[in-house]
């Protein structure tokens, strides 16, 4: 069996799956890959950014096992003038509800972008409100609970408006646009993900 590895920029409002489910867009609407290729991990329907597609079953364990603790960097546009106090709370780790239980997020790297990052236009765009700022923050996590980033920003009083997964370890979307796909060799991908 030949192994395939792809880095893709999952667009907004696309399910992280290939099979159709109702009228929602799925990965196969954007990415033409061999039938046995599947996404590693998930990215919510209303989130966008880096996703890895492969048919290498060993990669799933190597990337998603909690012991591996790969960095995942998210660029998050939030609702309201986010404060340094809120950023410090995020850095220290906040408590969120996951599957009906409290989960204390590990300490992480968080910062406010000094100026808005250059990102692709989103369709549809976020709701614009003239009097309420919508700044961007950068979060670097080493764990990935369901809807964790959204729950974290809400916990400190600044709901997420737009969420982009920018990188996993050293693999990033750089100059990619939503719907773009790059084929990688096993060596290129494993080096970028720092898997040895």
């Amino acid at each position: 069996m030949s192994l395939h590895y792809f880095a893709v920029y999952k667009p907004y409002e696309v399910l992280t799956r290939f099979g159709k489910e109702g009228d929602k867009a799925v990965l196969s609407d954007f990415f033409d890959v061999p039938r046995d290729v599947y996404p590693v991990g998930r990215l919510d329907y209303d989130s966008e950014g880096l996703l890895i597609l492969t048919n290498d079953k060993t990669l799933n364990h190597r990337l998603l096992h909690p012991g591996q603790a790969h960095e995942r960097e998210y660029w998050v546009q939030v609702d309201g003038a986010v404060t340094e106090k809120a950023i410090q709370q995020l850095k220290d780790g906040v408590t969120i509800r996951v599957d009906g239980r409290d989960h204390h997020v590990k300490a992480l790297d968080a910062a406010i972008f000094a100026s808005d990052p250059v990102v692709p236009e989103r369709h549809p765009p976020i709701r614009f409100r003239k009097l309420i700022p919508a700044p961007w923050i950068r979060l670097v996590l080493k764990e990935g609970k369901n809807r964790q980033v959204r729950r974290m920003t809400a916990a400190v009083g600044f709901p997420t408006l737009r969420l982009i997964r920018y990188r996993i370890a050293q693999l990033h979307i750089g100059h990619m646009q939503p719907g773009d796909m790059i084929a990688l060799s096993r060596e290129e991908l494993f080096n970028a993900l720092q898997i040895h």
Side-chain angles (χ1 to χ4, degrees):
M1 178 181 84
S2 57
L3 295 175
H4 301 280
Y5 304 91
F6 304 98
V8 305
Y9 188 136
K10 183 189 91 68
Y12 175 65
E13 292 191 337
V14 174
L15 292 170
T16 304
R17 54 181 294 170
F18 282 98
K20 272 302 216 187
E21 186 179 285
D23 57 356
K24 289 183 174 176
V26 294
L27 296 174
S28 51
D29 294 327
F30 295 87
F31 307 111
D32 185 16
V33 295
R35 286 181 65 95
D36 60 344
V37 166
Y38 62 92
V40 177
R42 62 178 181 270
L43 200 51
D44 293 326
Y45 177 71
D46 51 359
S47 300
E48 58 193 287
L50 178 62
L51 191 63
I52 298 166
L53 307 179
T54 188
N55 58 350
D56 181 349
K57 295 191 175 11
T58 68
L59 185 59
N60 220 37
H61 173 75
R62 289 176 164 192
L63 194 59
L64 301 180
H65 190 275
Q68 303 294 339
H70 288 89
E71 283 191 350
R72 294 163 173 83
E73 180 174 331
Y74 295 88
W75 293 2
V76 192
Q77 193 173 18
V78 296
D79 194 10
V82 69
T83 61
E84 283 298 340
K85 181 185 173 194
I87 293 295
Q88 190 59 52
Q89 287 176 292
L90 290 169
K91 283 183 176 179
D92 293 341
V94 294
T95 299
I96 58 174
R97 295 287 285 176
V98 180
D99 299 328
R101 292 196 192 101
D102 282 350
H103 171 75
H104 190 74
V105 176
K106 294 172 185 156
L108 54 95
D109 186 15
I112 303 171
F113 277 94
S115 56
D116 289 353
V118 177
V119 297
E121 292 289 319
R122 195 187 83 178
H123 303 287
I126 68 157
R127 184 179 50 166
F128 176 72
R129 294 185 295 174
K130 199 166 156 188
L131 300 177
I132 299 177
W136 287 86
I137 60 175
R138 180 178 153 272
L139 297 174
V140 180
L141 284 67
K142 289 189 175 179
E143 58 181 331
K145 300 291 182 189
N146 187 27
R147 298 185 74 78
Q148 179 170 339
V149 171
R150 292 176 189 279
R151 288 175 168 153
M152 286 165 50
T153 68
V156 298
F158 298 94
T160 292
L161 297 172
R162 187 174 178 191
L163 178 55
I164 301 172
R165 179 158 60 202
Y166 179 73
R167 73 174 172 91
I168 301 170
Q170 299 305 312
L171 183 68
H172 60 80
I173 50 177
H175 302 293
M176 294 173 75
Q177 295 291 312
D180 283 357
M181 177 170 75
I182 298 169
L184 298 163
S185 69
R186 185 176 196 269
E187 185 180 19
E188 287 171 325
L189 182 67
F190 278 44
N191 284 342
L193 296 177
Q194 299 168 323
I195 294 172
H196 306 292

